[in-house]
Amino acid sequence: MDIAAPLNTALRKVPAWTLYIVGAAYAAWLFYLGLTGGLGVEPIKALEHAYGLVGLQLMIAGLAITPLRKYAGLNLLKFRRAIGLLTFFFILAHLLVWLVLDVQVLSEIWRDIVKRTYITVGMAGFVLMLPLAITSNNMSLRKMGAASWRKLHKLTYVAALLGALHFLWLVKGLQMEPILYTAAIVVLLVLRVTPKLAQRTAARTA
């Protein structure tokens, strides 16, 4: 029995724009919890972590779309752009909480970026996401051409790895949560990249 078939049928009825509403509502809910004491005794740190974690989870979801379609027959392609833009939104929110609510002082922000490796790596990942977010529209796709657009958006792979490293180095000691996220990203990247490398090798040797 093809389990993916009924799921694909149901998902075709779900508009992609609903993800934006759900994402914005959840971000607002987390912010509300921070304001009202629902995130514990350190609400700014908790909010910063929550936004970053959701961003990383969405990045993993975006990377999983192609393997899920290839190996499980589950077609989530219509949601890929929304997931990508929501990933950027939550990572931006994570950064803004750190900049505006946590550190606040410009000189200290720059010092942390330069001296703290996990922040340097995190900022590098965010910078790589900027052109991806800016070009995530049909007009950019038409102007750039499909090949150039796809090539640019391979920066997602690097940004995902940098996000995983940021999380790994952020926590103290070896903790299972960041290790699991990193492992998930590595596995998904291998599933995406390996078939392409095999095809190129076969084409060269043919």
Side-chain angles (χ1 to χ4, degrees), residues 61-70 74 76-77 79-80 83:
L63 290 175
I65 288 175
T66 296
L68 282 173
R69 185 168 180 256
K70 183 180 176 92
L74 186 62
L76 300 172
L77 288 176
F79 302 108
R80 182 156 58 185
I83 291 173

Side-chain angles (χ1 to χ4, degrees), residues 63 67 71 183-197:
L63 290 175
Y71 298 106
I185 288 173
V186 170
V187 169
L188 289 171
L189 290 179
V190 169
L191 289 174
R192 290 176 65 94
V193 173
T194 301
K196 294 180 181 180
L197 292 177

Side-chain angles (χ1 to χ4, degrees), residues 159-175:
L161 287 173
L162 290 175
L165 287 175
H166 171 70
F167 193 16
L168 275 173
W169 288 338
L170 169 65
V171 300
K172 295 179 180 179
L174 289 176
Q175 295 189 26

Side-chain angles (χ1 to χ4, degrees), residues 119-182:
I119 296 180
T120 307
V121 168
M123 285 299 297
F126 175 75
V127 169
L128 289 181
M129 293 181 69
L130 285 171
L132 304 180
I134 293 170
T135 59
S136 288
N137 54 76
N138 292 332
M139 184 176 67
S140 295
L141 179 58
R142 288 193 299 269
K143 286 186 175 181
M144 294 178 64
S148 297
W149 189 89
R150 283 194 295 267
K151 188 174 182 179
L152 173 66
H153 279 251
K154 287 180 181 178
L155 288 175
T156 303
Y157 305 163
V158 183
L161 287 173
L162 290 175
L165 287 175
H166 171 70
F167 193 16
L168 275 173
W169 288 338
L170 169 65
V171 300
K172 295 179 180 179
L174 289 176
Q175 295 189 26
M176 187 57 63
E177 186 180 24
I179 292 174
L180 290 175
Y181 279 105
T182 302

